[in-house]
Amino acid sequence: MSLDSLLSQTIMALRAVNTCSVIRSASSPPLSAFRCCLFNPSNLQFRWSSKLRCRSPVLWHKHQVFRNGGGRFYSLYSIVENVYEELEALRRRQRVSAFAKMGLVGMGSGELIEDKLVNRTLEKGLLLEFKKDSERVLLAVAQKPDGKKNWTVFDQNGVTSSIKPQQITYIVPGVENFEHTEIADFIKKAQDNLDPTLLEFAWLELLEQNKAVTTEELAEIIFGSAEPLDSYCAHLLLSRDELYFTVLQTKGSRSFYGPRPTDQVEELQRKKLVKEAAEKELQEFVELLKSAKAMPLKSKLPKSFWAAEEKTRHKIESLEAYAIDACRDVEQRKTAGMILKAMGLVKTALSAVNLLIDIGYFPRHVNLDLLKLNIRTVHSDEIIAAAESLLLEASDPDEVDRKNLTHLKVYAIDVDEADELDDALSATRLSDGRIKIWIHVADPARFVRPGSTVDREAMKRGTSIFLPTATYPMFPEKLAMDGMSLKQGEICNAVTVSVVLHSDGSIAEYSVENSIIKPTYMLTYESASELLSLNLEEEAELKILSEAATLRLAWRRQQGAIDMASLETRIKVPNPEDVDPEINLYVENQADPAMRLVSEMMILCGEVIATFGSRNNIPLPYRGQPQTNVDVSAFSHLPEGPVRSSAIVRTMRAAEIDFRKPIRHGILGIPGYVQFTSPIRRYLDLLAHYQVKAFLRGDSPPYSHGQLEGMASTVNINTKLAKKLSSISLRYWVLEYLRRQPKENRYRALILRFIKDRIAALLLVEVGIQASAWVSLGAQIGDEVQVRVENAHPRDDVLSLKEIIQ
């Protein structure tokens, strides 16, 4: 050992005493044995082994001795003082020659550094470390060349593999003909000897000397030896170090290291503490997740629990955002990824969804699309307060002009679970035999003014959203239900469109006026159809409405209208957060008499408003659809109903909208159309009310055609999102319904078209959903086949059918 190295070790020994640590070699006793006796430096003595091969300082206490061989004892301070004086003089004489011998002066580089970075030529029996993959580094023994550059190695796991030179991270020096059976013992000895605190002492010394070193030179400083085990330990310490040293230069598997500046180390230490705190916090959160996951279903933590503390809320929100692919930044995605990894899960959105379901944060049937589309599901306190004030304070600007129609028998027909009733119907037969119809529409503009707080919120929403599990209204519920909605037996404000029909179903005369009505019946489609079938004399008005609907349909067909009646599926899930909630499924035929009646009256109202707006130059959202170029008679060979409708829909051109004048609606067979009958549910209908009611009062319309166009573009975006959400949600629950049914169930399926070869698009009649399946030879479009559900997975939107061959 050089005297220069001896001086370094002596100084480090003194520091070790003062910090309850010690510099030792790989073969020295454990550090804990030294630390347990270091109570007072005055009680310690120091011995230097006379055997150069040990070359390590050894500390002893007056009651206990640590040694590797015989020797004499000296006072700690005496030996330090004597050695220091002698070696300090020698240091001054040999400083230049010592640094030159190491190939460095300060932090300088050059040819001598290049010499130190010369890589050892690979040969059989060398012990090396290589990078197996992005996360694993292994020790192995070189076996033989494999091609021009690669080498076959036998690693610590007993696996033989071929590696490239660039995979090698370190070649242990001083080793020849190493046996692979000794790798495990070598690794154990190295792991037992690692103590990161040793790097701090070396860093202090090298920083003071302004010196950079190789791995072997660092081993000399730390362990007093560059033996294979000591050198490998130094390599491991350096490769795992994130504080004290930085790589100055690398060539192949050899690197040159320099001590970092003090301020940089302090900053890294600060960051390390922050990182360790974050890791601890993450581990605590993971343990909480595991605990919640193991809880019985009825004992799951409430959702509010996860939002109680900031650190917990941050992590659960990151998981939720990851689950719906809505991470706001890289950090949130990284946090979710770390959580999933710590839980032993793959980093996918589905993993995050299932984890959130398992801990009870998400219900089993969580509507992910509702979250992904960021749909407004609640009204703010500000909007609710504004809406309630309208109920108390709003005056009716049209009160004196309202026509009293409370003498009419009024039928409101809708689905049984409807919360908001927008429209109702009345009819009579005039003395000349013609039919007069009144279409009464709820009057929300009686409460809401254009541009008001409540109006702006309604415009942002664009529409009420109807899902199997819930309804999210465009207006706050209290305002919609208590103020705007039509109610049986109560005086209600309305805008009434009255129409007298010619005998062929065309419009003879019409009027539009503000009114008050008193709804007589609230009927479901089923009860209305039943009343029609009974043909009761006391319900003659309902029969007249049905007759008017028939006349209208015949007239529209003469104008080129296309009958698009098909099957419509409705589902109601009353308790969606239950594990297996009840599913109520209804399939309605749009050709049903009551549904046909209501549909025809709504179309009639839309035609009248378009005509009224055109004649009075009122800007309105006029809807149209260009007539298809395909001759509809080409589909006459197909069965009327869903099969024919499906074929025609595929030829239809895109709908259009104009805000200046009506445009023909070829599908409906009418010269113009404005949606007007659902102002509580659809914002564009409400806009039409604003415009029409202003004209009835003698005022200018609140919006120009240009303003309407701008507002409509925003509203239509939200409306499309709402339709998409409704469609996805409906399909999910239909698939869940099918998943629960017995596997042996058979279903009727109509062949709508062939997709490819014998793979056909089918309509399942009992549930009203489309799917595809292979059908046997001979089956044609319009035929009905029997199928069985092979698989139904609502979360993955998978429905597999198999034809039952008779």
Side-chain angles (χ1 to χ4, degrees), residues 709-729:
E709 186 173 2
M711 297 167 74
S713 63
T714 300
V715 171
N716 284 334
I717 291 173
N718 294 329
T719 300
K720 287 178 181 178
L721 288 178
K723 287 181 178 179
K724 178 181 178 181
L725 176 62
S726 296
S727 176
I728 292 172
S729 300

Side-chain angles (χ1 to χ4, degrees), residues 111 113-121 251 253-254:
E111 293 183 2
I113 294 179
E114 290 294 329
D115 293 341
K116 289 173 178 286
L117 295 180
V118 173
N119 285 282
R120 186 173 178 181
T121 304
K251 186 175 181 181
S253 62
R254 303 273 294 165

